[in-house]
Amino acid sequence: MKFSKKISQLKPSPTLAISAKAKEMRKSGLDVIGFGAGEPDFDTPLNIKEAAIEAIKKGFTKYTPASGIGELKNAVCEKLKKDNSLVHAPDEVAISCGAKHALFNIFQVLCQKGDEVIIISPYWVSYTEMVRLSGAEPRIVEAKEARGFVVASEEIKKNITKRTKAIIINSPSNPTGAVFGKELLEKIARIAVSKKIFVVSDEIYEKLIYDGEEHISIGSLNKEISKLTLTVNGVSKTYSMTGWRIGYVAGPLDIIKKVGALQSHSTSNPSSISQMAALEALRGSQEALFKMKEEFVARRDYMVKRINSFKNVSCAKPKGAFYLFCNISGTGLNSVTFSTRLLEEARVACVPGIAFGSDRHVRLSFATSMENIKTGLDRVEAWLEKK
Ligand code: PMP
Ligand code: GLU
């Protein structure tokens, strides 16, 4: 089959694929512990589910405006102001089918062949593919492990060319859990403003931030950078709503209007029912989030301590999100061989680091129960000892 040029290189998302494979193995009776999944294992809070049931009962089941209902946009604006010091009017917000969709739309709207987009490595798997699908080229800038996976602003500066259209930042980061402090964000903002480059700020893990670290939205730093920033967020991670598919982008009006136009010809509106659920998520009780965060901290601390006592592997303590990015270079295996053998020989699933731009690491998610974590780590330890 002759596919289009841009699609022929495209492979399924490895993060989704590994979770699917672990689920399939479990279904066929194999006892697999999954550290692959990038989704909270908690149930969606009841108040949110009830809002969706109410929406169905009331018949809120028809098309809505393509870029989302006004009330949800208002709630997003309130949230952005309260939590992030970002001031946006409702028409500067577009609601999409997940943050992934919001990001996809942004690159389609901003980029074309000949453009470059700076992506900080290790990066979330979909950034490079989304950028390529827009016709632009990713330009990878490495955030070194020795610096806690926090990028040096000089490295960004060095990689800016006449073709640079945008830079993606993701703090807290998937897969490293690195958090960008104010000083670094100010430096990145200065670079972006002086070179007139857009900043796509993926803040999906904003609320999953630990040890008193503060999340700062780059768009809130000053007026100039706010005009160049597209802030992306959603309800998937914060409210355990991965399947509901609601995300959003806030940014300059002309760009947001085009996102809405693109959506009106592609997906139309995100599910009307999910929009009502997201409204309750943003405006209702935030209690479930606090409990979830507490549990994530306990799991993280347990995992980091144990992994660092294992043979030939090590990992830093992430400051945010729910992933450990473990250095496996001491094993002498590349990340695909390590993950494949760990799954086949020890029945533990993780994601090879090569999917995030580093073949010397694997990603383990702690979005699974403490019981699973204990069993899974026992298996990893025994497997490493035998190897
Ligand atoms: N950004 C990052 C960094 C992610 O890890 C994810 C995970 N799914 C997303 C965006 C997209 O989230 P969603 O589409 O579920 O809102
Ligand atoms: N973002 C999550 C992850 O990195 C979920 C899977 C995906 O959307 O790629 O595992």
Side-chain angles (χ1 to χ4, degrees):
M1 173 73 186
K2 199 158 180 344
F3 294 107
S4 70
K5 208 167 164 192
K6 63 182 178 190
I7 287 295
S8 58
Q9 300 296 322
L10 191 68
K11 295 201 186 79
S13 159
T15 43
L16 291 178
I18 195 92
S19 311
K21 187 169 177 191
K23 265 184 204 158
E24 216 174 86
M25 286 173 81
R26 246 177 260 130
K27 238 185 179 170
S28 71
L30 292 169
D31 159 35
V32 174
I33 299 285
F35 289 133
E39 62 177 345
D41 51 314
F42 306 96
D43 198 4
T44 304
L46 194 60
N47 60 315
I48 297 174
K49 289 190 195 175
E50 278 170 351
I53 293 165
E54 199 49 33
I56 295 172
K57 282 189 183 155
K58 283 192 173 147
F60 194 70
T61 51
K62 302 285 167 64
Y63 291 136
T64 76
S67 65
I69 55 172
E71 212 178 342
L72 183 53
K73 291 183 183 180
N74 287 338
V76 167
C77 292
E78 285 160 21
K79 180 251 174 269
L80 291 174
K81 189 157 182 226
K82 183 164 119 310
D83 295 353
N84 311 97
S85 306
L86 289 168
V87 181
H88 283 287
D91 56 1
E92 292 170 341
V93 172
I95 313 290
S96 301
C97 309
K100 191 180 264 184
H101 185 212
L103 288 160
F104 181 85
N105 287 339
I106 291 166
F107 298 116
Q108 290 295 320
V109 165
L110 288 184
C111 300
Q112 59 193 339
K113 197 166 186 287
D115 292 336
E116 286 176 357
V117 175
I118 292 184
I119 297 176
I120 297 161
S121 158
Y123 46 78
W124 178 47
V125 291
S126 294
Y127 295 149
T128 42
E129 302 313 308
M130 287 178 182
V131 165
R132 284 197 190 100
L133 285 169
S134 75
E137 276 299 313
R139 182 142 179 149
I140 306 298
V141 174
E142 192 189 346
K144 298 223 161 39
E145 186 169 15
R147 292 177 43 98
F149 294 112
V150 174
V151 73
S153 60
E154 305 78 62
E155 290 298 316
I156 295 176
K157 223 181 207 165
K158 268 201 279 186
N159 280 282
I160 289 180
T161 70
K162 277 196 282 224
R163 296 161 61 188
T164 311
K165 185 78 187 200
I167 172 167
I168 307 175
I169 60 173
N170 173 219
S171 174
S173 148
N174 175 7
T176 66
V179 170
F180 289 7
K182 192 168 183 192
E183 208 180 310
L184 173 60
L185 291 171
E186 276 172 346
K187 283 183 186 163
I188 297 174
R190 269 200 293 277
I191 296 170
V193 169
S194 73
K195 304 282 182 187
K196 294 199 171 52
I197 293 165
F198 288 104
V199 177
V200 179
S201 182
D202 179 352
E203 304 186 6
I204 192 89
Y205 295 100
E206 162 205 27
K207 298 285 182 191
L208 300 173
I209 189 164
Y210 315 118
D211 308 331
E213 287 283 332
E214 190 194 357
H215 172 76
I216 297 165
S217 294
I218 191 165
S220 71
L221 293 178
N222 59 59
K223 258 220 164 91
E224 289 76 37
I225 192 66
S226 77
K227 289 182 196 148
L228 289 169
T229 302
L230 292 133
T231 306
V232 175
N233 209 326
V235 295
S236 285
K237 316 286 171 176
T238 308
Y239 303 101
S240 274
M241 290 177 70
T242 45
W244 299 74
R245 312 307 304 131
I246 297 289
Y248 54 85
V249 50
L253 181 62
D254 47 352
I255 299 175
I256 298 301
K257 272 190 181 163
K258 288 291 183 199
V259 166
L262 177 61
Q263 219 162 264
S264 76
H265 288 295
S266 48
T267 55
S268 293
N269 60 278
S271 151
S272 58
I273 300 151
S274 295
Q275 289 189 66
M276 291 312 275
L279 187 60
E280 172 61 22
L282 292 178
R283 288 209 173 134
S285 163
Q286 305 292 303
E287 206 178 313
L289 165 65
F290 298 121
K291 281 198 194 124
M292 178 164 84
K293 203 170 138 173
E294 233 170 70
E295 179 66 26
F296 277 143
V297 171
R299 295 174 184 179
R300 175 200 65 166
D301 291 351
Y302 175 83
M303 277 184 89
V304 169
K305 199 164 168 214
R306 276 204 67 190
I307 287 173
N308 283 322
S309 74
F310 294 171
K311 218 172 104 184
N312 294 329
V313 295
S314 65
C315 72
K317 198 184 253 194
K319 293 181 173 164
F322 41 63
Y323 308 104
L324 302 183
F325 207 51
C326 300
N327 190 318
I328 55 153
S329 50
T331 64
L333 302 176
N334 69 33
S335 66
V336 173
T337 309
F338 183 101
S339 314
T340 310
R341 284 190 50 192
L342 188 67
L343 183 59
E344 283 168 4
E345 296 167 20
R347 302 267 180 261
V348 172
C350 66
V351 187
I354 191 74
F356 309 96
S358 170
D359 212 12
R360 295 163 56 241
H361 295 83
V362 295
R363 191 190 78 176
L364 302 183
S365 154
F366 46 92
T368 186
S369 71
M370 199 59 149
E371 199 188 338
N372 277 344
I373 289 174
K374 285 182 178 161
T375 314
L377 289 188
D378 286 347
R379 291 184 192 179
V380 176
E381 187 173 22
W383 181 75
L384 284 169
E385 284 297 327
K386 265 200 296 189
K387 224 189 54 52

